[in-house]
Amino acid sequence: MPHFYAECTENIKHQAKLPELFAKVNTALANTGIFPLAGIRSRAIWLDTWQMADGKHDYAFVHFTLKIGAGRSIEQRKQTGDMLFALIKTHFSALMAQRYLALSFTMEELDPILNFKQNNVHALFAKE
């Protein structure tokens, strides 16, 4: 962990430049020092069907979720959330100036017991 999800309307697929955003997010999360690099993942979920507001305009939205493992303090989580949302808003500022666009972000802390995973990528980074 952490895993960063972008749930996006398809009408901004080319303008969203999510690979660029994900590179910034992964670097920013790694630079916090509280998340293992090998566990950081970012992904997009493109929505081909949605309804937003009154449906009268070519609205678009991106909802971001950061899922993290348990164990970080509320201060660390708040600082990480503030940093990521600022990064998101900066990334989308030009697009937001051109069209109707809603951005939202939430962070979820996963249950420390009911969180199952297996990963051999951590071993790669432990060797460095």
Side-chain angles (χ1 to χ4, degrees):
M1 297 313 249
H3 291 199
F4 186 70
Y5 297 79
E7 184 179 352
C8 312
T9 57
E10 275 193 356
N11 59 344
I12 59 168
K13 192 167 192 170
H14 301 292
Q15 298 84 13
K17 300 177 183 175
L18 290 183
E20 293 174 23
L21 176 62
F22 291 165
K24 294 173 192 172
V25 165
N26 284 26
T27 297
L29 288 171
N31 288 342
T32 65
I34 60 172
F35 301 109
L37 179 60
I40 300 171
R41 298 184 189 112
S42 295
R43 67 197 75 154
I45 302 164
W46 292 104
L47 305 172
D48 64 1
T49 307
W50 71 93
Q51 173 72 34
M52 188 172 166
D54 59 9
K56 293 182 180 180
H57 298 279
D58 186 31
Y59 302 116
F61 70 81
V62 188
H63 175 71
F64 296 94
T65 303
L66 181 68
K67 294 185 179 188
I68 64 170
R72 281 90 183 175
S73 70
I74 188 67
E75 293 82 12
Q76 289 172 316
R77 288 181 280 156
K78 174 78 166 98
Q79 185 176 19
T80 299
D82 288 341
M83 177 266 302
L84 283 182
F85 198 53
L87 197 152
I88 290 165
K89 291 187 299 184
T90 298
H91 180 81
F92 282 98
S93 63
L95 187 57
M96 186 167 267
Q98 299 170 8
R99 62 169 305 124
Y100 294 112
L101 175 63
L103 301 173
S104 56
F105 169 68
T106 188
M107 187 183 305
E108 298 175 8
E109 184 179 48
L110 301 177
D111 185 283
I113 298 170
L114 302 175
N115 181 10
F116 308 92
K117 53 193 160 202
Q118 182 176 351
N119 181 339
N120 65 1
V121 178
H122 288 280
L124 172 67
F125 288 92
K127 293 176 186 176
E128 294 180 1

